[in-house]
């Protein structure tokens, strides 16, 4: 009986050691893969952009302030790339984030020939990003525009009345933390928000007018918040040409003297663990091997990331979101 007990204890001790070393080996493997991934990614700190190539930059999804992205674009300024093609597929985001990205691209354009290709969508903040370039190429069915600014906030005051909850507060002035969503928005608070939106909208309109060379009449036709197809956008001066990346490169060759035979190479702006598909797959396999299949499934699910991004948007928005869309 004693021998059996000792054998069980030894077996458990060995199992714990094996589990420890399996976990340690998995962590080392993941760290090695991450290191290789960052080194292999043009956006990584320790990498050099290939000489004699055109850098392809992708701007996708919601746009917000991102210092890592700014620093990556600054590294691209000082790289040996001959030119830059920026692909945009974005409904916009925060006005501050869009302005930051616009400014970074303008600085990049001062160092490298730069052209924008609109993929599916360049709306609101996505269009602010696009007009950093001197030449914008869009597909015929792309959606472009949505020149406008939005400030949205939920109001739970009626719901709180229903459940019998009242939020008490002490504040220094009537407009402090207004609107707060727990009480009806006062006329003064609404007027203050209206002033913010109008000021940002005026900035957006002025930027479009200057960058796209429009007069007041042309601007009025496009600045009411709607989006336009690529075909419509050409006639309205929102974009310069219909086409794809090949058309954009042909413009670089014809107008900027870029060599026609240069290869186009992807340049990642922010190589994060979750952005690299092969890293997600490696992590999922590793956790599966450790018996942690639930965590592996969570890693494989990327859909929730966009929902979290939407919830994290703070401040005024330059964002196109059709009513009824998921």
């Amino acid at each position: 009986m004693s021998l059996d007990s000792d054998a069980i204890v030894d077996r458990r001790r060995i199992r714990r050691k094996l589990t420890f070393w399996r976990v340690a080996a998995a962590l080392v493997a993941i760290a090695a893969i991450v290191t290789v991934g960052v080194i292999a990614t043009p956006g990584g700190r320790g990498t050099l952009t290939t000489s004699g190539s055109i850098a392809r930059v992708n701007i996708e999804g919601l746009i917000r302030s991102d210092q890592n992205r700014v620093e990556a674009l600054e590294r691209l300024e000082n790289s040996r790339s001959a030119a830059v093609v920026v692909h945009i597929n974005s409904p916009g985001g925060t006005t501050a984030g869009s302005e930051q990205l616009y400014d970074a691209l303008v600085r990049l354009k001062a160092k490298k020939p730069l052209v924008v290709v609109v993929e599916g969508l360049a709306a609101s903040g996505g269009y602010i990003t696009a007009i950093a370039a001197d030449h914008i190429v869009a597909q015929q069915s792309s959606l472009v525009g949505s020149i406008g600014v939005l400030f949205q906030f939920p109001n739970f005051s009626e719901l709180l009345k229903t459940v019998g909850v009242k939020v008490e507060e002490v504040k220094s002035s009537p407009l402090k933390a207004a609107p707060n969503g727990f009480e009806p928005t006062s006329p003064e608070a609404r007027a203050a928000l209206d002033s913010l939106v109008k000021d940002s909208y005026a900035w957006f309109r002025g930027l479009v007018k200057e960058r796209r060379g429009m007069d007041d009449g042309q601007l009025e036709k496009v600045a009411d918040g709607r989006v336009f197809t690529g075909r419509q956008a050409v006639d309205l001066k929102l974009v310069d040409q219909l086409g794809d990346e090949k058309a954009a490169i042909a413009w670089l060759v014809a107008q900027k003297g870029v060599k026609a035979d240069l290869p186009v190479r992807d340049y990642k702006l922010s190589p994060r663990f979750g952005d690299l598909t092969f890293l997600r797959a490696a992590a999922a396999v590793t956790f599966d091997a450790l018996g942690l299949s639930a965590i592996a499934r969570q890693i494989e699910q990327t859909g929730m990331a966009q929902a979290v991004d939407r919830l994290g948007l703070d401040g005024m928005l330059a964002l196109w979101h059709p009513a009824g869309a998921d």
Side-chain angles (χ1 to χ4, degrees):
M1 190 71 177
S2 175
L3 289 174
D4 289 341
S5 299
D6 290 342
I8 292 171
V9 170
D10 287 340
R11 194 174 295 121
R12 288 177 177 172
R13 186 181 298 114
I14 293 171
R15 190 176 299 152
R16 284 196 297 269
K17 288 182 178 179
L18 285 173
T19 300
F20 169 79
W21 286 112
R22 283 174 181 168
V23 172
L27 293 175
V28 170
I30 292 174
I33 293 172
V34 170
T35 301
V36 171
V38 172
I39 292 175
T41 304
R45 284 187 176 275
T47 62
L48 292 174
T49 305
T50 305
S51 179
S53 65
I54 298 172
R56 180 192 293 119
V57 172
N58 291 296
I59 306 294
E60 299 178 333
L62 299 175
I63 298 171
R64 66 179 69 195
S65 297
D66 186 343
Q67 188 59 34
N68 289 331
R69 180 179 60 209
V70 171
E71 292 173 0
L73 290 173
E74 289 173 348
R75 290 194 295 274
L76 184 54
E77 286 180 35
N78 300 315
S79 74
R80 293 177 290 176
S81 290
V84 181
V85 177
V86 180
H87 287 254
I88 299 177
N89 188 12
S90 170
T94 65
T95 51
S98 302
E99 181 182 2
Q100 181 196 57
L101 179 54
Y102 168 86
D103 289 340
L105 289 176
V106 168
R107 291 193 297 270
L108 175 59
K109 185 189 66 174
K111 299 284 187 70
K112 310 277 185 186
L114 184 148
V115 63
V116 159
V117 178
V118 178
E119 297 288 350
L121 181 64
S124 294
Y127 188 65
I128 292 174
T129 302
I131 60 178
D134 293 329
H135 195 75
I136 303 174
V137 178
Q139 298 181 102
Q140 297 187 59
S141 57
S142 297
L143 295 179
V144 179
S146 187
I147 298 168
V149 178
L150 172 70
F151 195 110
Q152 273 185 335
F153 54 94
N155 192 294
F156 306 103
S157 57
E158 294 300 319
L159 175 62
L160 295 179
K161 288 180 183 178
T162 301
V163 298
V165 175
K166 184 178 180 181
V167 177
E168 301 285 354
E169 65 181 6
V170 177
K171 54 186 180 181
S172 59
S173 55
L175 293 180
K176 178 64 178 175
N180 60 26
F182 300 127
E183 61 185 12
T185 304
S186 68
E188 293 79 11
R190 189 171 294 277
L193 293 177
D194 183 64
S195 175
L196 292 177
V197 169
K198 286 180 177 177
D199 185 67
S200 292
Y201 178 50
W203 167 77
F204 194 169
R205 284 170 56 98
L207 196 63
V208 173
K209 181 179 180 180
E210 175 191 350
R211 294 295 303 144
R212 300 304 302 168
M214 294 183 180
D215 58 33
D216 290 336
Q218 292 170 322
L219 184 61
E220 287 302 319
K221 292 180 181 179
V222 299
D224 60 0
R226 78 178 84 175
V227 292
F228 303 91
T229 66
R231 285 163 56 91
Q232 294 171 322
V234 170
D235 293 334
L236 294 169
K237 297 186 68 174
L238 290 171
V239 304
D240 299 290
Q241 179 184 356
L242 295 177
D244 54 13
E245 184 177 86
K246 289 183 178 179
I249 293 174
W251 180 84
L252 288 172
V253 172
Q255 300 297 324
K256 298 296 182 179
V258 176
K259 293 182 180 178
D261 58 347
L262 293 182
V264 181
R265 305 189 187 282
D266 287 328
Y267 185 90
K268 293 281 283 186
L269 293 181
S270 52
R272 296 171 297 203
F273 182 85
D275 290 337
L276 302 177
T277 303
F278 78 96
L279 291 182
R280 285 203 302 273
V285 169
T286 301
F287 283 114
D288 257 336
L290 294 174
L292 303 174
S293 57
I295 296 177
R297 300 291 78 77
Q298 290 285 343
I299 292 173
E300 289 177 341
Q301 293 172 358
T302 58
M304 69 173 64
Q306 292 185 352
V308 171
D309 274 348
R310 267 186 200 281
L311 291 174
L313 290 176
D314 294 323
M316 281 186 294
L317 306 180
L319 177 67
W320 184 70
H321 184 60
D326 292 330

